Amino acid sequence: MQYHKNYTWFFLLIVLILNIALDQISKFVVRNEISDYEHIVLIKNFFTLTKVENSGAFLSLGDNMPYIFRLIILTGLPVLFLGYGLYYLFSKKNLPSTMQIALCFLIGGGMGNLYDRIVHGSVTDFMHMDFQIFQTGVFNIADISIMIGVGILLIQSLRMKTTPTGDPSNVEKED
């Protein structure tokens, strides 16, 4: 049993570290190879790279807040939430595997953006998609990780609601 627990922790750490590493490597390349607001078309009329430094939150919300409020809201609170997320991930026994993986994506993405905010003073965003009927904001790999984590949790939540009683214990335990 201890072997299984160690294997699970090792796997979760790898997923978490890969999320942070892919995000930071991509941002390092972008910071060094792309000028601010440079527009590089990768897939015509659909996918472009545009380097933007975001000192606010999602879609630059809070960018105009006084520095002390940005520090508390965009750095202090995420440190608390990510710390609790790590504690929850590694201390809660019997979490479904899908929830563990989702938390790794959420925490990894959050840590990638938090690292940027602490070290660089802003988050480097660089991807943009245009679906003709709507466009995304400019985003990064950490944002993708967070959305994957949210998506996994949403799917798991919907699966739980489709069980006869809605009781999580009725969902098959994944390992």
Side-chain angles (χ1 to χ4, degrees):
M1 188 60 128
Q2 184 65 26
Y3 172 77
H4 184 271
K5 182 178 177 183
N6 288 341
Y7 173 76
T8 301
W9 279 29
F10 178 73
F11 175 75
L12 294 175
L13 277 173
I14 293 296
V15 172
L16 191 61
I17 290 168
L18 280 174
N19 273 279
I20 298 167
L22 290 173
D23 175 62
Q24 289 304 304
I25 290 167
S26 67
K27 289 173 181 174
F28 176 81
V29 170
V30 166
R31 278 189 216 103
N32 291 306
E33 300 297 327
I34 300 176
S35 301
D36 288 345
Y37 304 104
E38 183 178 350
H39 191 80
I40 301 170
V41 176
L42 295 180
I43 301 173
K44 186 178 180 184
N45 299 327
F46 177 67
F47 187 62
T48 58
L49 297 181
T50 303
K51 179 182 162 194
V52 177
E53 293 297 330
N54 181 359
S55 61
F58 178 71
L59 297 175
S60 297
L61 294 174
D63 193 28
N64 295 324
M65 280 193 302
Y67 174 76
I68 189 67
F69 291 124
R70 275 200 331 253
L71 182 67
I72 293 167
I73 294 170
L74 302 178
T75 304
L77 290 178
V79 165
L80 292 174
F81 286 121
L82 293 170
Y84 179 75
L86 284 169
Y87 166 77
Y88 188 83
L89 176 64
F90 289 107
S91 70
K92 284 291 188 183
K93 294 177 170 61
N94 301 323
L95 282 178
S97 298
T98 53
M99 184 167 191
Q100 291 174 327
I101 291 170
L103 287 172
C104 286
F105 276 90
L106 285 166
I107 295 166
M111 290 177 96
N113 281 340
L114 181 62
Y115 177 85
D116 272 16
R117 193 169 305 286
I118 291 169
V119 173
H120 302 287
S122 62
V123 174
T124 302
D125 291 327
F126 55 92
M127 291 183 275
H128 177 262
M129 298 174 82
D130 184 348
F131 294 96
Q132 301 302 317
I133 57 174
F134 72 92
Q135 298 181 36
T136 66
V138 182
F139 60 97
N140 59 43
I141 301 293
D143 299 332
I144 293 171
S145 292
I146 292 167
M147 293 307 297
I148 289 171
V150 168
I152 292 170
L153 290 176
L154 180 62
I155 290 167
Q156 181 180 348
S157 172
L158 293 173
R159 281 182 43 202
M160 289 171 72
K161 287 184 179 182
T162 60
T163 60
T165 64
D167 181 8
S169 63
N170 286 344
V171 175
E172 282 185 40
K173 177 134 171 69
E174 301 171 16
D175 274 11

